[in-house]
Amino acid sequence: MNDWPHRFETELVRLGLQPERAHRLSVETAAQAGEHAADPDHFFGPAHLYARHLVAELRVSTFEEKRAEAGRVMLRLAGVTKRYRRRTVLAGVDLTVRGGEVAAIVGANGCGKSTLLRICAGLTAPTSGTVQRIRRVGFVPQDGGTAGWLTADEHFTLFGAAAGIAPRKARSTGAHLASLLAWRPTAAQPVQELSGGTRQKLNLVLGELHGPDLLLLDEPYQGFDQGSYLDFWRQVHVWRDAGRAVVVVTHLLHELQHVDHVLDLGGAA
Amino acid sequence: MTALVVAELSAREVGRRRVAILLVISLPLWFYLVRRDLTGQSTRMLMTGIAWAVSTLTLFVVNSARGVDPRLRISGASTAGIVGGRLIAMSGFGALLAGGYFALVAIDQDIDRAWAVALLMLITALIAVPFGSLVGALLPRELEGALALFSVCAVQMLADPAGTVAKFLPFWSGREIGTYAIDGAATDLLWRGLAHGVLVWTLCTGLTLAIFARRLRLERYPEPDPEPQGIH
């Protein structure tokens, strides 16, 4: 028996739709395939990819109509301070980011941008202040974060396993997300043989692989060429329009017109 | 599931470092060949070579994953799954290496208790894995870690097995089992060696897991207050 509708419904729920709505969409989608006497697998493609596509479409259309309405709060920082011994890196940082918003963190080198992002990710504890954050988060570090001797596909498998995603599904999702950044991973090519820009694309895909609601990006465009850079910002806007929250550390001030919040951490600590 | 995937991919990763693997595999051979004319000496040297090779490789595997591990935790992996997977992969490699060198010794030397020699090599390789990972956890920089392993293995080689210092070294179990296997000593040496081996393995594995649990700990933040959302 074809369990495509069930997998589709499960993925819709996993991506944040209410179960009743996911069920209704699943029934409607299966009926649509039935009208064409086609197998949903062939008609719509893999269930998990079509679910992502549909959720993005639904959210974009809703947000276009109600762009003024902010989504739920995904991240809230209040009075966050970080000290390393006697050196204060961050002092009294406040930030609220809702679904469908992009926040940029700017400031001089050494002002604590990456530290703040690590605090948001939960990798570093704040010295004082409060952090409220939704559970499903994706983190893309400035560099590193990959294993040089593994291929891109193997990274998809590894990070998929961490998130409880089956290997085949993780690989197809990874390939799909890579294609959105105009990149087609080459089989059998270790990551250390990729260019710096392509490694960063892999980093981005890995941060998004498990469908997080909040994306934390630490200057993820390092090494990108002009086309990739534009693809990246286009992708940030797609995430935003799909109802996700994006926090991006950047030093490129001309991009700030495209973001909803700017948190300026000022000079070096 | 995570542990098995991590184990499989760690094994693939190590397998692709062909020159490093070749050097690691051949390292115990030089130890063995130096005293090949003496069964006891050559086997004990071989044991030290296996300990050094497997622990050093584990150290490098653990250290090279430092950038990936926090991201795997954020994606949802448990610390036990990540660290356990690497230990499984390296234990598999250690067992294969031990098996290969046991075959060499079995063919090249005249040994009465061959099964005990096999046990000696296997237990040495299996202890070397958590020991290498523990050193990697304590000394995150590769050079420092490699030098620490070198020091331990050198002291292990030179220390008097009957002395107090030797008993605090991680591979003393191999010396005891070796004496039983090669010199025909009493069974209590075998049991003493096994007990020491199990204790060291448990300590090293437990400490490795504890250190990584602390290092890869994620802050638990409360969810933001629920607010109406426009899309559902």
Side-chain angles (χ1 to χ4, degrees):
Chain A
M1 186 185 162
N2 192 338
D3 65 342
W4 193 96
H6 174 68
R7 284 185 281 122
F8 179 63
E9 186 179 331
T10 308
E11 187 67 10
L12 288 176
V13 173
R14 200 182 74 79
L15 291 171
L17 255 64
Q18 288 178 341
E20 299 80 31
R21 189 173 187 198
H23 180 69
R24 201 170 64 244
L25 283 168
S26 168
V27 171
E28 285 171 5
T29 310
Q32 206 178 336
E35 284 169 14
H36 293 83
D39 180 359
D41 226 342
H42 289 110
F43 198 68
F44 295 111
H48 62 285
L49 294 185
Y50 189 64
R52 271 178 186 254
H53 171 73
L54 189 64
V55 167
E57 289 293 317
L58 285 170
R59 285 174 168 169
V60 167
S61 57
T62 313
F63 269 80
E64 276 171 354
E65 289 162 17
K66 301 178 180 177
R67 186 71 180 91
E69 276 187 33
R72 59 177 285 211
V73 174
M74 301 280 188
L75 174 72
R76 183 181 285 132
L77 308 176
V80 167
T81 300
K82 182 66 187 176
R83 274 190 294 273
Y84 289 106
R85 294 195 175 92
R86 268 182 273 175
R87 193 169 70 98
T88 301
V89 179
L90 297 166
V93 175
D94 299 317
L95 177 69
T96 300
V97 189
R98 294 167 182 274
E101 290 183 340
V102 180
I105 302 175
V106 298
N109 291 338
C111 70
K113 300 189 293 289
S114 296
T115 302
L116 182 61
L117 214 65
R118 287 179 63 84
I119 288 173
C120 294
L123 293 170
T124 301
T127 309
S128 64
T130 59
V131 180
Q132 291 183 330
R133 196 202 67 194
I134 46 130
R135 199 169 55 85
R136 211 160 56 200
V137 60
F139 175 64
V140 179
Q142 195 171 11
D143 51 20
T146 54
W149 292 88
L150 294 182
T151 65
D153 261 2
E154 287 165 344
H155 277 84
F156 301 151
T157 305
L158 181 63
F159 279 71
I165 305 172
R168 189 183 291 180
K169 187 175 160 185
R171 285 195 293 272
S172 60
T173 304
H176 169 70
L177 296 174
S179 70
L180 300 178
L181 294 167
W183 169 46
R184 193 174 173 183
T186 312
Q189 187 178 27
V191 164
Q192 64 180 356
E193 290 176 10
L194 299 176
S195 70
T198 310
R199 265 203 298 274
Q200 277 304 94
K201 287 182 182 179
L202 173 64
N203 254 336
L204 271 172
V205 172
L206 296 177
E208 203 208 342
L209 194 71
H210 56 295
D213 298 312
L214 169 65
L215 280 147
L216 304 168
L217 316 174
D218 192 354
E219 296 196 51
Y221 42 72
Q222 305 262 356
F224 278 8
D225 56 30
Q226 184 63 19
S228 302
Y229 181 75
L230 294 174
D231 284 338
F232 162 71
W233 277 104
R234 196 175 304 124
Q235 192 57 33
V236 167
H237 296 144
V238 168
W239 290 328
R240 181 194 65 189
D241 296 343
R244 293 177 175 180
V246 183
V247 179
V248 55
V249 168
T250 183
H251 61 272
L252 299 174
L253 300 179
H254 61 273
E255 291 299 344
L256 299 185
Q257 57 185 315
H258 301 302
V259 306
D260 303 286
H261 303 284
V262 177
L263 175 64
D264 189 351
L265 295 178
Chain B
M1 180 193 164
T2 310
L4 293 179
V5 173
V6 171
E8 185 197 338
L9 293 176
S10 295
R12 280 195 210 179
E13 203 179 352
V14 168
R16 283 179 192 147
R17 304 179 72 158
R18 296 211 176 107
V19 176
I21 280 286
L22 200 65
L23 289 170
V24 163
I25 290 174
S26 63
L27 191 144
L29 183 65
W30 314 129
F31 279 68
Y32 175 75
L33 290 178
V34 168
R35 304 309 301 266
R36 181 173 168 259
D37 52 322
L38 297 169
T39 302
Q41 283 293 322
S42 60
T43 309
R44 288 186 184 97
M45 293 290 276
L46 179 59
M47 181 204 83
T48 308
I50 289 172
W52 194 10
V54 175
S55 56
T56 305
L57 190 63
T58 308
L59 169 88
F60 277 79
V61 166
V62 166
N63 280 344
S64 67
R66 288 175 69 82
V68 178
D69 288 352
R71 299 191 71 191
L72 290 176
R73 286 282 291 128
I74 290 174
S75 294
S78 66
T79 305
I82 297 169
V83 178
R86 298 226 165 81
L87 294 184
I88 290 170
M90 296 315 299
S91 298
F93 171 79
L96 281 175
L97 190 71
Y101 277 111
F102 167 67
L104 171 70
V105 172
I107 292 166
D108 198 43
Q109 302 285 345
D110 185 21
I111 303 165
D112 290 335
R113 291 168 170 170
W115 64 269
V117 173
L119 181 68
L120 147 75
M121 291 186 185
L122 183 65
I123 206 164
T124 301
L126 293 183
I127 291 169
V129 173
F131 180 65
S133 66
L134 177 61
V135 172
L138 291 170
L139 299 169
R141 290 190 180 87
E142 286 171 347
L143 178 62
E144 285 87 331
L147 289 172
L149 287 178
F150 177 75
S151 305
V152 171
C153 290
V155 174
Q156 183 82 60
M157 214 157 37
L158 299 171
D160 172 17
T164 311
V165 172
K167 293 182 179 66
F168 287 97
L169 292 170
F171 302 107
W172 182 72
S173 54
R175 300 292 293 249
E176 292 296 280
I177 299 171
T179 307
Y180 168 81
I182 297 151
D183 302 333
T187 321
D188 62 320
L189 266 79
L190 172 69
W191 291 116
R192 211 159 57 196
L194 278 174
H196 187 273
V198 169
L199 181 71
V200 172
W201 186 91
T202 309
L203 266 176
C204 291
T205 306
L207 283 171
T208 299
L209 283 170
I211 292 170
F212 275 101
R214 185 173 162 74
R215 188 172 293 164
L216 298 175
R217 188 187 60 211
L218 292 179
E219 295 300 315
R220 290 189 176 195
Y221 298 133
E223 291 256 343
D225 302 329
E227 291 188 12
Q229 197 175 2
I231 60 164
H232 293 308

